[in-house]
Amino acid sequence: MPALISNYLASSPEPYPRTELIHYWGISQSPLSVSSTTVRWRSDNYDNLNQRITKLLNEYARLKENWDNEGAPAISVDVIRKAQNLTTLLEKHGQPIFHTAPGPWGEVMLDLRNAANGRSLEIIFYPDRSVAVYLPTDETPKQDNFDITQLPVMMKWLNYTK
């Protein structure tokens, strides 16, 4: 496990000014497909934005049964694929992922944070379901089923600034 988290960042990445970005998100009918019409960011700054996350997901795909020495199952190809697809989608729209981690039930968690407002959003892909956990600074955390069609609403919540 230490090898999997050796590249973990101790602090959040620089917040990206995504306020304008959120207004342009749109969902298409295909799974894990979000498109935009007027999204603008400097691609030289955001190419490979989530490269570290992608590398970690590739490492999780190589985990064997009992990888944590406590009976954890290997992470399924389907779970890895879902996490990779969302990582690619978020990168395409300039949304950094703070961290990712495998779990003891064969799940993969993607941790998105906004340092400016103190909010976090964890999207967790289990073998049989996916959930989104909203972690506000000054409110009670909330958990919902993850639905890709709600991604624009989730990003608006995460990146909302007063």
Side-chain angles (χ1 to χ4, degrees):
M1 185 65 174
L4 295 176
I5 60 172
S6 63
N7 292 327
Y8 183 75
L9 296 174
S11 60
S12 294
E14 286 296 314
Y16 175 72
R18 289 173 300 275
T19 307
E20 182 180 16
L21 176 72
I22 295 305
H23 300 294
Y24 300 112
W25 286 69
I27 299 292
S28 74
Q29 295 302 315
S30 60
L32 284 179
S33 179
V34 175
S35 62
S36 61
T37 55
T38 329
V39 174
R40 290 171 285 181
W41 69 85
R42 292 176 46 160
S43 61
D44 56 332
N45 289 342
Y46 297 100
D47 284 346
N48 301 314
L49 178 67
N50 293 317
Q51 182 176 5
R52 182 179 60 84
I53 302 303
T54 300
K55 286 181 182 178
L56 287 171
L57 291 172
N58 289 335
E59 289 183 35
Y60 303 161
R62 293 192 296 268
L63 293 174
K64 305 291 185 214
E65 296 290 322
N66 196 31
W67 58 266
D68 66 349
N69 293 323
E70 294 188 21
I75 310 298
S76 74
V77 171
D78 188 48
V79 167
I80 295 292
R81 182 185 50 78
K82 288 176 184 176
Q84 288 172 332
N85 287 345
L86 186 58
T87 298
T88 301
L89 178 64
L90 292 171
E91 179 166 328
K92 188 176 179 181
H93 290 280
Q95 177 65 55
I97 300 172
F98 179 74
H99 191 56
T100 182
W105 296 288
E107 75 274 21
V108 169
M109 179 270 306
L110 298 176
D111 179 4
L112 291 75
R113 297 185 185 182
N114 185 316
N117 66 19
R119 290 181 176 181
S120 292
L121 176 66
E122 292 181 358
I123 299 173
I124 307 168
F125 296 103
Y126 291 92
D128 61 344
R129 69 189 191 290
S130 301
V131 298
V133 182
Y134 298 82
L135 301 162
T137 303
D138 53 355
E139 300 170 33
T140 304
K142 181 179 101 172
Q143 178 175 311
D144 283 329
N145 290 325
F146 175 72
D147 178 356
I148 191 67
T149 64
Q150 293 300 306
L151 190 60
V153 174
M154 292 177 197
M155 294 301 98
K156 186 173 184 178
W157 176 86
L158 178 67
N159 296 307
Y160 173 78
T161 55
K162 295 178 184 179

